[in-house]
Amino acid sequence: MYALKDLPKEELFTSGHRLCAGCAHPISVRMVTKVLRGPTVIVSTTGCLEVSSSIYPHTAWKVPWVHIAFENGAAVASGIEAAFKAFKRKGIIDKNVDIIAICGDGGTYDIGIQAISGALERKHDFVYICHDNEAYMNTGIQRSGATPKGAATTTSPAGKKIPGKPEWKKDFIGICIAHGIEYAATATPAYWGDYLMKIRKAIEVDGPAVINVLTPCPLGWRYEPKDTIKISRLAVLTRYFPLYEYERGRYKLTIKVPKPLPVEEFLKIQGRFRHLFNPEFKKELDEVKYYVEENWNRILKLCGEA
């Protein structure tokens, strides 16, 4: 586990970007860049992070950085990894170069999952980090495969037709683990020591590693920007977003929550779930609460704690 005194003072993701106040993306990226181990190339697909951090002729990045299309984060990362491997084999370079892909949930859970599956199956040596804000935020807050059941978005509005998004969120980490990779984990900026440890572990894996980090969005989740870390922590303390890791066949719960807060504590401060507290949506609220409990019990069993 890291301590503040262990972290370098140098900032490799600088101020001056145009991400929203309270956005969790820049918090996450600063954490990632604090635990790099050497030469690194960061790949970033189209999304909030990309469009706000690289407005020509300005950039917030002080590491080699590549902007690529929405759907091919894993494909480009694996191509860069293969190129450096060839350079090393030919004696052009003698150092290892770490490759990190940072992509949103739309480019991960949905249109990028084919490229991710291929890269994981081929065992390319790179880290894939999904910034999971549970919708397509930079194009208008449309629902994605990461959007939870019951959340209101512009394409799953809560009303007479549907009670918010009708479908459950995909198990992205479970999909990745099924590819036989060595390391996968969930994280959130609220538990920064846990997150930094997981990033560094993922970098040191010889092969693909995946981290799904919950990154709250004040605009899409409709809450006050000052509450980003509070909501990130509530997601864990209510068991809505379990923090765990999978390493060489073994699951481990990295943040234990023996006395959870009611799920309502996480839901009620977000506008996207506000309708669930109206009497006509009680059934949907009960379903969400039941799902959170069942998912927590599932993770506990995987971790050998139940």
Side-chain angles (χ1 to χ4, degrees), residues 205-228:
V205 166
D206 184 17
V210 178
I211 296 176
N212 192 53
V213 53
L214 188 69
T215 51
C217 170
L219 182 65
W221 293 19
R222 285 178 268 159
Y223 66 84
E224 292 295 322
K226 64 180 176 59
D227 290 332
T228 292

Side-chain angles (χ1 to χ4, degrees), residues 217-288:
C217 170
L219 182 65
W221 293 19
R222 285 178 268 159
Y223 66 84
E224 292 295 322
K226 64 180 176 59
D227 290 332
T228 292
I229 296 301
K230 175 182 177 181
I231 288 180
S232 301
R233 187 170 290 109
L234 281 173
V236 178
L237 295 180
T238 59
R239 297 178 172 173
Y240 170 86
F241 193 81
L243 295 184
Y244 65 99
E245 65 180 0
Y246 169 89
E247 187 174 12
R248 298 185 182 92
R250 293 189 175 184
Y251 289 82
K252 179 183 178 184
L253 194 67
T254 58
I255 300 295
K256 298 185 179 182
V257 188
K259 297 180 180 178
L261 296 174
V263 180
E264 289 90 334
E265 294 297 308
F266 172 71
L267 303 176
K268 70 183 181 183
I269 58 174
Q270 302 175 54
R272 62 176 179 158
F273 291 121
R274 193 160 296 146
H275 60 282
L276 294 180
F277 295 92
N278 296 332
E280 63 267 33
F281 293 116
K282 182 179 184 305
K283 173 176 171 290
E284 283 72 27
L285 178 60
D286 288 342
E287 287 179 353
V288 170

Side-chain angles (χ1 to χ4, degrees), residues 15 33 90 130:
S15 58
T33 58
K90 294 177 180 179
C130 174

Side-chain angles (χ1 to χ4, degrees), residues 82-283:
F84 278 122
K85 189 180 291 181
F87 287 162
K88 197 172 180 183
R89 187 171 61 247
K90 294 177 180 179
I92 298 174
I93 62 172
D94 58 4
K95 291 183 177 178
N96 290 323
V97 178
D98 295 321
I99 315 298
I100 299 176
I102 303 178
C103 313
D105 57 273
T108 297
Y109 283 66
D110 297 337
I111 62 176
I113 201 160
Q114 180 182 7
I116 296 168
S117 178
L120 299 184
E121 184 266 335
R122 294 189 301 270
K123 298 292 184 287
H124 287 280
D125 184 10
F126 76 114
V127 179
Y128 190 96
I129 297 175
C130 174
H131 273 170
D132 184 359
N133 57 23
E134 301 190 324
Y136 291 83
M137 296 307 184
N138 78 308
T139 55
I141 317 174
Q142 299 96 345
R143 56 87 80 193
S144 78
T147 304
K149 181 181 175 68
T153 70
T154 53
T155 50
S156 61
K160 294 181 180 178
K161 297 292 184 183
I162 57 172
K165 186 189 172 190
E167 302 85 12
W168 299 105
K169 179 175 183 171
K170 289 182 187 175
D171 179 14
F172 173 62
I173 288 296
I175 293 170
C176 294
I177 292 171
H179 285 72
I181 64 175
E182 185 175 310
Y183 188 80
T186 60
T188 181
Y191 292 84
W192 63 270
D194 177 74
Y195 184 27
L196 295 181
M197 175 196 68
K198 289 170 176 172
I199 296 167
R200 189 53 187 260
K201 274 190 175 183
I203 291 173
E204 293 176 355
V205 166
D206 184 17
V210 178
I211 296 176
N212 192 53
V213 53
L214 188 69
T215 51
C217 170
L219 182 65
W221 293 19
R222 285 178 268 159
Y223 66 84
E224 292 295 322
K226 64 180 176 59
D227 290 332
T228 292
I229 296 301
K230 175 182 177 181
I231 288 180
S232 301
R233 187 170 290 109
L234 281 173
V236 178
L237 295 180
T238 59
R239 297 178 172 173
Y240 170 86
F241 193 81
L243 295 184
Y244 65 99
E245 65 180 0
Y246 169 89
E247 187 174 12
R248 298 185 182 92
R250 293 189 175 184
Y251 289 82
K252 179 183 178 184
L253 194 67
T254 58
I255 300 295
K256 298 185 179 182
V257 188
K259 297 180 180 178
L261 296 174
V263 180
E264 289 90 334
E265 294 297 308
F266 172 71
L267 303 176
K268 70 183 181 183
I269 58 174
Q270 302 175 54
R272 62 176 179 158
F273 291 121
R274 193 160 296 146
H275 60 282
L276 294 180
F277 295 92
N278 296 332
E280 63 267 33
F281 293 116
K282 182 179 184 305
K283 173 176 171 290

